[in-house]
Amino acid sequence: MIKIENVTKNYESGKVRINALDNVSVEIERGEFVVLNGPSGSGKTTLLNIIGLLTRVTSGRLWMENQEVSHYPDHFLSALRREKTGFIFQQFNLLPGYTTWENVSLPLLPMGMSEKTRRTMAMKLLEELNLETRADFMANELSGGEQQRVAIARALINDPEIILADEPLSNIDTGHVTIVADILAELKRRGKTIITSFHHSQAQVDKLVDKTFRFDSGRVL
Amino acid sequence: MILNSYIITYLVCSSLSLFIGLAVAFNGFRIWRKWDITSHADAQYRLEKEVYLIITIVSLGFFLRILMVPLWFWSLYSMIISIPGAMCLVGVHNVNAPYSYVASALKLILPALYAYWLILNLLDRKVATQPFMKQKLMFLPPLGILIVIETILDISFFFSTPPRQVSCCTSLFDIPREGVVQIVTEATWIWVVLFYVLAFFVVGEIIYFLFFQKRSTSPGKERWFGNKSAMFMQTLVIIVLFVVYILALHTKISPLFLGLPFHHCIFCLGQEVWDALLSFSMIFIGLCLFVVYFWVISSSKYREVNPLLSEKMVRLLKWSGCMLAGGLIIMSIHLLLVI
Ligand SMILES: Nc1ncnc2c1ncn2[C@@H]1O[C@H](COP(=O)(O)OP(=O)(O)OP(=O)(O)O)[C@@H](O)[C@H]1O
Ligand SMILES: [Mg+2]
């Protein structure tokens, strides 16, 4: 379903050139639970960004459902991204001036739903994540762990087929790890493709994992 | 030089249109030279972003050009009182004919060309490979040149000193130059008849292509695609039809609609008979859309993307047909009422 073929990604800032991914080839089937792990700076986030169509490859090809998308123009990528993927960012990337529920319902905005429908949908997810009492708080008034869960809710609101989660467990306490792990298990049961990165292996999710790719300095080991 | 609020507004819009035309011409050409869809280089992504900007600017330019059509003619109209001898737009045009007529023609041609660009762009954006990108970009420099020519004509028009006395429609058209013979020839129905024959032919074509386009997604049914000579022929047919239309308006329809047997002025017609103006606009838009259809399908890239775009092309033809037929119906009803 997702095929990555000889993908290299370089970042250039001034004279420094960083080889974030070096000739990586990976295949992921529909419904698989895939874990990327490896040390800090090894390229996990970069690969998630490429699969999530947030950044483009320097060379190589990316296939999604038999379409080669590496050369797609921006307006195609955004449409695909909106339709197919939900992204939980390592840094959450919530909008600070908006309330929790507004942040969660953000991906629904381009679909032209009424505010009432959007709020109802957001509240349903927030309840599952024990956040219903925080619905009208500003995003910047939330604790790190709460923000993490809001970011999860936002990624799931448009019911995407592919869920990309960058370190979804790293900022939350053990009690909430169980909640998030349960959500991931439920998503897998519903046939979603889940690609996630962990620094360390996580006992609560180990039993869900179909494939693990270990990264080191931009290469898959 | 005469200045009033219409002319000043027009000149402001015209400067803006010139600026837009030049900006998209230069940048279009620059991007065209570097465009390489297979490249992953950051430079290519920057070009893509610039194309989005160009699309926005061209859309703006299109609306500006639409606005400039009535503005231009209002400006001319507002000059009638200041030009000795002028009674309608013919007199105003005669201040520096024939250039003024070219300037007026460009007022109609330019928005049509913009519309072609935007339609091509709309289709291009529906396909991931952006098959018309190069064609789209390369269309911008000639468009820019046309706008420069138009601006020069406009300026020479506004700055030319009117002759002491211009001749206007009555002296030009109504008094027969060759005596009675002229009246007889001008009184013939030949151009009107020819116009209807050609117009029905084109309506028939539109219907034919509507069915052709609907079936074109099955293999082997693509013979019109990529055909450049068909495109030239069609464009020619439409131009001929348009010229015949002008002659028909001049020789017969104007006098009939205006109720003055010897008054052949098309500008007076447009000024005084609103439904004639409406039908003229609809027929013009309908014909332009049909030409756009041919310009698009004659592209060498079109054949391979037809399955993705066919639905849009059918819609384009429907619009073309409705506009043309609507214009014809309005004109015919009026014609039947006066004869
Ligand atoms: N936008 C960017 N511009 C420049 N360099 C970048 C950019 N994003 C990532 N990098 C570099 O690419 C390399 C890989 O980064 P990446 O974020 O993929 O690592 P990671 O495996 O997610 O690390 P962590 O576990 O710390 O999140 C790093 O050296 C990083 O500095
Ligand atoms: Mg990371």
Side-chain angles (χ1 to χ4, degrees), chain A residues 12 56-60 70-76, chain B residues 37-40 45 48-49 52 125-128 130:
Chain A
E12 269 169 71
R56 293 200 259 197
V57 299
T58 307
S59 69
S70 1
H71 289 295
Y72 270 20
D74 258 0
H75 56 277
F76 267 75
Chain B
I37 186 99
T38 60
S39 161
H40 286 296
Y45 299 150
E48 254 180 56
K49 295 267 184 292
Y52 291 117
R125 284 172 57 92
K126 289 270 168 269
V127 187
Q130 308 198 80

Side-chain angles (χ1 to χ4, degrees), chain B residues 257-305:
Chain B
F257 283 16
L258 288 167
L260 302 164
F262 299 111
H263 199 52
H264 294 284
C265 181
I266 295 176
F267 289 110
C268 291
L269 178 71
Q271 236 162 268
E272 282 161 35
V273 185
W274 70 268
D275 63 287
L277 189 61
L278 179 67
S279 68
F280 179 89
S281 314
M282 288 175 77
I283 290 172
F284 181 75
I285 293 171
L287 295 180
C288 286
L289 291 179
F290 192 42
V291 172
V292 167
Y293 172 77
F294 264 91
W295 285 14
V296 173
I297 65 163
S298 72
S299 159
S300 49
K301 297 276 175 61
Y302 183 77
R303 188 182 290 260
E304 47 201 271
V305 292

Side-chain angles (χ1 to χ4, degrees), chain B residues 90-147:
Chain B
V90 174
V92 180
H93 275 93
N94 273 336
V95 168
N96 85 339
Y99 306 112
S100 50
Y101 285 104
V102 180
S104 283
L106 282 172
K107 297 299 170 289
L108 299 182
I109 293 169
L110 282 167
L113 294 178
Y114 266 98
Y116 161 68
W117 196 94
L118 287 172
I119 291 171
L120 192 64
N121 171 61
L122 214 76
L123 297 167
D124 194 46
R125 284 172 57 92
K126 289 270 168 269
V127 187
T129 51
Q130 308 198 80
F132 307 126
M133 182 59 84
K134 285 224 152 192
Q135 194 175 333
K136 222 163 72 179
L137 293 170
M138 212 37 211
F139 191 75
L140 295 172
L143 190 65
I145 292 170
L146 265 187
I147 293 178

